[in-house]
Amino acid sequence: EERDGYFMLGWCFRHGEGCEEDLDNAKENFSLASELGYVYAMNLLGVLQTDLFWLSASSHDPQIPINRD
């Protein structure tokens, strides 16, 4: 299904599988899969948005510990 393709693209972009890691493209593809009802994509989208928030916060405050794995 189309939602599976969006999910897999999001996964590849999130983890750099077969491409460069690109969190913005991962977010976009997880969002598209979520809109099509893919529940696991909804979960990973939430996790990714939290990661992006903390990455942004840590760029402003180097005292904030962040795991970039």
Side-chain angles (χ1 to χ4, degrees), residues 29-63:
N29 282 283
F30 285 147
S31 291
L32 290 168
S34 295
E35 290 172 14
L36 295 171
Y38 201 121
V39 176
Y40 190 49
M42 294 174 195
N43 180 48
L44 291 181
L45 179 60
V47 171
L48 179 58
Q49 289 178 319
T50 300
D51 290 348
L52 289 170
F53 169 79
W54 285 110
L55 284 171
S56 174
S58 69
S59 70
H60 298 293
D61 184 354
Q63 298 298 318

Side-chain angles (χ1 to χ4, degrees), residues 11-42:
W11 182 268
C12 290
F13 282 123
R14 174 65 180 97
H15 298 284
E17 297 283 334
C19 60
E20 299 250 348
E21 184 179 285
D22 185 332
L23 300 182
D24 291 327
N25 272 327
K27 181 179 174 183
E28 179 180 341
N29 282 283
F30 285 147
S31 291
L32 290 168
S34 295
E35 290 172 14
L36 295 171
Y38 201 121
V39 176
Y40 190 49
M42 294 174 195

